Amino acid sequence: MDRENNIDQHGKKNIFRLALFTGELMLRNGAETYRVEDTILRICNSRGFKHVNVFTSPTVIIISDERFDGITFMKTIKNRGININKIDLLNAFSREFVSNKDLSIEDALIQLKGIEKAKSYNQWVVYIGTGLGSACFSVLLGCTVVDFLFTYITSIFAVIIFDKIFSISSIPSFSTLAASIFIAVVGVSLSSLGLLSQPNTLIVGSIMPLLPGVSLIKGLRDLISGDLISGVARAFDAALTATAIAVGVGFVLEVWLRLGGIL
């Protein structure tokens, strides 16, 4: 009788729950699909479970013992974001769990819950960094000092609007659309008041934090790794976000041009 048969069903379920929780946290914080699946398999294999199948997409994780009497666990993922710090902590945790056979399930769960509650930078630090990044990008487009300051302020308020609407609706594309409309309205309004020569640099610089670059790259990496469903889903999500930006900015600019504005 192999090692896996010596482990009782209760212990087996605990390992599966631990692996599922780890995968859930990784997926919620922006990890690639292949990385999530590899981590889950390594956790299960480290405790003697060799007959494990894992299916992961951006919205669901399924772990199953492929034998006819095997158990199956499934978890749906409702909210996703990007938190590189937590992904790094989860990678370190998985390596420790795999290498340290004496680490108990209870202690491992305590570590995971600590990672789940781990705080990143203060929200205002993120906003300030976002503003600086957007304003510096507008410099590449030849902005003036006034353009720099207005881009800095506008991008901060745009991200705040995105976060507030997303906390209510949980629809990223709708939040992106609202933030894009706000950016375009501010740009054309300041231009109409004579505070900006043209709204282009402010609009382009301020929409930088909204662009789905990370989602697109992760989708491409999933496609390259052979995770076709996840790759297509992530790429489609990135396309929706890009479309929302284009529609929001394009609508405001079209109205402004019809009213006599000049780009």
Side-chain angles (χ1 to χ4, degrees):
M1 182 177 294
D2 58 20
R3 180 184 175 188
E4 188 170 343
N5 291 330
N6 292 326
I7 302 176
D8 62 316
Q9 284 291 96
H10 179 71
K12 185 178 184 179
K13 291 179 180 178
N14 286 337
I15 291 292
F16 274 37
R17 289 192 181 99
L18 176 69
L20 185 65
F21 188 29
T22 305
E24 175 192 353
L25 291 180
M26 294 184 71
L27 206 57
R28 278 167 45 189
N29 289 286
E32 298 90 340
T33 299
Y34 74 89
R35 188 187 300 273
V36 174
E37 292 182 349
D38 181 67
T39 299
I40 291 174
L41 288 174
R42 287 179 183 273
I43 289 176
C44 293
N45 292 340
S46 69
R47 296 304 186 266
F49 299 109
K50 307 297 183 180
H51 307 90
V52 177
N53 282 326
V54 181
F55 173 79
T56 305
S57 76
T59 57
V60 67
I61 301 175
I62 301 175
I63 306 176
S64 176
D65 188 335
E66 66 182 17
R67 298 179 305 180
F68 72 94
D69 59 345
I71 57 177
T72 300
F73 284 78
M74 183 182 75
K75 180 67 179 182
T76 56
I77 310 298
K78 298 297 184 181
N79 298 315
R80 298 178 302 279
I82 302 295
N83 192 320
I84 304 300
N85 178 54
K86 286 190 177 181
I87 293 177
D88 179 63
L89 293 174
L90 289 165
N91 284 334
F93 162 80
S94 65
R95 293 190 187 97
E96 179 186 0
F97 185 83
V98 170
S99 61
N100 184 7
K101 299 296 190 296
D102 295 327
L103 182 61
S104 66
I105 301 298
E106 292 74 17
D107 292 338
L109 285 173
I110 292 174
Q111 290 188 33
L112 283 178
K113 290 178 181 179
I115 294 174
E116 182 182 22
K117 296 177 181 178
K119 293 184 178 180
S120 186
Y121 294 104
N122 180 274
Q123 194 65 55
W124 279 104
V125 173
V126 176
Y127 290 151
I128 292 172
T130 299
L132 285 174
S134 299
C136 289
F137 189 88
S138 67
V139 173
L140 300 177
L141 303 176
C143 74
T144 63
V145 175
V146 175
D147 293 338
F148 183 92
L149 293 175
F150 279 124
T151 302
Y152 174 81
I153 297 172
T154 302
S155 60
I156 291 177
F157 278 102
V159 174
I160 292 175
I161 290 173
F162 175 90
D163 290 342
K164 296 299 182 182
I165 295 179
F166 183 73
S167 65
I168 297 173
S169 66
S170 297
I171 304 175
S173 56
F174 179 72
S175 304
T176 302
L177 175 65
S180 300
I181 290 175
F182 168 78
I183 291 171
V185 168
V186 170
V188 299
S189 298
L190 293 176
S191 181
S192 299
L193 294 174
L195 298 176
L196 296 176
S197 58
Q198 57 181 5
N200 297 1
T201 55
L202 182 143
I203 292 175
V204 174
S206 297
I207 65 174
M208 284 298 116
L210 303 177
L211 294 178
V214 176
S215 297
L216 179 60
I217 294 301
K218 289 185 181 294
L220 293 176
R221 291 188 66 178
D222 282 340
L223 286 172
I224 294 172
S225 300
D227 298 304
L228 302 181
I229 295 178
S230 178
V232 171
R234 288 182 187 271
F236 184 73
D237 183 53
L240 280 179
T241 301
T243 302
I245 295 173
V247 170
V249 174
F251 173 76
V252 174
L253 292 181
E254 177 66 20
V255 172
W256 190 55
L257 290 173
R258 290 181 179 275
L259 295 177
I262 301 175
L263 290 178

